[in-house]
Amino acid sequence: MTIVIILTEGAVSVTMVFDIRTLIILNFIVTIINAGSIAIIWHQYKDRFEGISLWLASTILHAVGLFLIAMRSEIPAFVASVIANALLLTGAVVLLMGLERFAGIKRSHRQNYFLLVIFAVAVNYYTVIDPSMTMREIIMSVFIMIIKSQGSWLLLKKVALNLRPITRITGLVLGGYVVVSLVRGILLMLFPLQTNDFFKSGFADSMAITMYIILSICLTVSIILMVTRRLLGEVQAQEEKFAAAFHSSPHGILLTKLYDGAIIEVNDGFVNLLGYKYDEAIGKRIIDLGIWISEEDRQTVIDKLSQGYEVRGAEFQFRKKSGEIMTGLFSASTLTLNNAKCILSNISDITESSQMKQQLQVMATHDYLTGLPNRRLFFDRFEYAMANAQRKKTGLVLMSLDLDNFKTINDELGHDIGDAVLVVAAARLKRVLRKVDTVARFGGDEFILLFGEINSKEEAVGLVQKILQELRQPYIIEEHRLGLTASIGVAMYPENGEEVDDLIKKSDEALYIAKKQGRNNFRFYTGFTNHE
């Protein structure tokens, strides 16, 4: 605004003249600030919501158009009028397209493109051929009314019902543009401008531009609010979905604090699974409830989560309130809640399937009759024992053992009695084993024994004698009292070989000699020949 003081004879009058150039520059500055605000929203949410890129493009077009108008006296009239107004009009259409995409509505804008061309031609006509500031301003007001009314109707009536509370304020602001443009157009038709100099177009244009500046600020603020309110709505919807999934899940779910294990929330699945009521769990620490059987397992999970990793599908043992032990399939991840690191855990009961899995594993690695390891498991145990022997610089002893005259028992008393004898013999063999030793049944009455951490042949002899003595004890099977003996062949690691098959072969050769020499005794492998 400019204040002009007019001195006349005997009086002084003060007249206020609105400086439109200043208003345009102010509008340009406000638009740049608006563009910066929209750019921040665009950077944060461009991948989340459609249309924000078009809002930013619209604001930039508007800023460039205002800049060209502000430079009207410095650049050609065609650029300052036709090009500048075309940019302003295009920006209005682009804004409308962005609003439609944000609302999830996509439609053709052929009619608006057509109107854009018509208005651009009309502005050019009244700028170059028949200069008329009044007609140019009327054209601009009509176009703004058409485009902004579409945007207002879109946000107030056409968007989905759940979005209308979010878009209502922006729709009302666009309606404000329609009202201002309508009033401006009517005033221009009733009181045509007396000049073609835009910067001297007078009070009505000054007020219209001032209102547009206010509306542009309101529009930017309402758009930002629209985005944040929609984001808040989506977050609330996600929270509701999470809460519904949390409480309806059949699995036990609990939310705990990372640093002290305090329980924040549990679901019905947790209550049903572990037997603790809500008031017995919430506020307590996991360690106080004693849910974890192994504190080492719990600490391993905490350490992994603290390092930023997740736990997925791990099997752990848990204790129910009743004291019953349960095998659980456990998954956990961290999240931030009220600025505190928390753990979201999921536990499902797989006790039955775990037991079945263990049974299948036992069936695959153990003899069905005696429960001893089978050939497959024995070979695994040998690899482990050999690695241990190499590390500790000790030896191994491998023995092949047969029960003497066992076939006679099967033939005379039947296979049921024979099987019972094998079970008793297996139990006796297990009694002489240490933790580092293994006995396996390879079939029939053939047993293979592996003794680790043996440092001398004398130690091996002591073990063999102990085994033979154990097996000589009478076998009481039903009404039968049976006397049995055994024969044993012995091979030493590493003296007689380093491969398990080679050692078994050599212990079998030694067993053959022991049987040939009268049974109920043992022989070490010493490089026998066939005639031995």
Side-chain angles (χ1 to χ4, degrees), residues 55 67 107 293 329 332 358:
W55 297 346
F67 176 76
R107 66 185 183 91
I293 295 295
L329 190 66
Q358 291 176 358

Side-chain angles (χ1 to χ4, degrees), residues 54 93 208 294 443 467 489:
L54 293 175
V93 174
S294 170
I467 292 168

Side-chain angles (χ1 to χ4, degrees), residues 406 409-410 412-424 475-480 482 484:
F406 178 73
I409 294 176
N410 273 337
E412 295 182 0
L413 302 178
H415 287 282
D416 289 343
I417 299 297
D419 287 347
V421 168
L422 291 174
V423 171
V424 172
Y475 293 76
I476 310 299
I477 309 296
E478 297 179 0
E479 72 277 8
H480 305 287
L482 306 174
L484 286 175

Side-chain angles (χ1 to χ4, degrees), residues 175-338:
Y177 273 97
V178 175
V179 172
V180 172
S181 299
L182 177 62
V183 173
R184 184 188 186 192
I186 292 172
L187 290 175
L188 287 169
M189 287 187 287
L190 295 176
F191 307 102
L193 299 175
Q194 301 303 313
T195 177
N196 281 329
D197 186 349
F198 178 67
F199 292 144
K200 298 179 181 179
S201 54
F203 177 80
D205 260 10
S206 298
M207 291 304 300
I209 294 171
T210 302
M211 292 303 300
Y212 283 146
I213 293 173
I214 295 172
L215 287 170
S216 71
I217 296 172
C218 293
L219 181 61
T220 300
V221 172
S222 69
I223 283 176
I224 294 173
L225 288 175
M226 185 168 63
V227 172
T228 54
R229 289 184 66 188
R230 182 170 178 181
L231 181 66
L232 179 61
E234 291 188 357
V235 170
Q236 290 174 339
Q238 290 297 325
E239 287 181 349
E240 291 173 0
K241 290 180 181 179
F242 171 80
F246 183 91
H247 288 288
S248 63
S249 173
H251 306 304
I253 303 178
L254 64 159
L255 186 65
T256 59
K257 293 181 180 178
L258 177 62
Y259 76 93
D260 64 356
I263 299 175
I264 300 173
E265 184 64 273
V266 297
N267 72 337
D268 292 343
F270 178 88
V271 172
N272 297 331
L273 194 66
L274 295 172
Y276 291 94
K277 297 179 181 179
Y278 287 98
D279 56 356
E280 293 175 325
I282 296 176
K284 304 293 193 306
R285 296 190 307 164
I286 285 288
I287 195 170
D288 294 334
L289 293 182
I291 294 173
W292 287 83
I293 295 295
S294 170
E295 175 60 23
E296 183 179 348
D297 288 343
R298 188 187 74 85
Q299 191 59 49
T300 299
V301 169
I302 296 297
D303 293 342
K304 190 172 183 179
L305 293 172
S306 299
Q307 294 169 8
Y309 299 101
E310 294 185 353
V311 178
R312 285 281 177 261
E315 289 189 23
F316 296 116
Q317 298 291 310
F318 298 94
R319 182 184 292 105
K320 297 183 179 182
K321 181 183 176 182
S322 62
E324 179 184 353
I325 305 301
M326 176 194 79
T327 301
L329 190 66
F330 181 85
S331 298
S333 59
T334 58
L335 54 86
T336 301
L337 186 65
N338 296 328

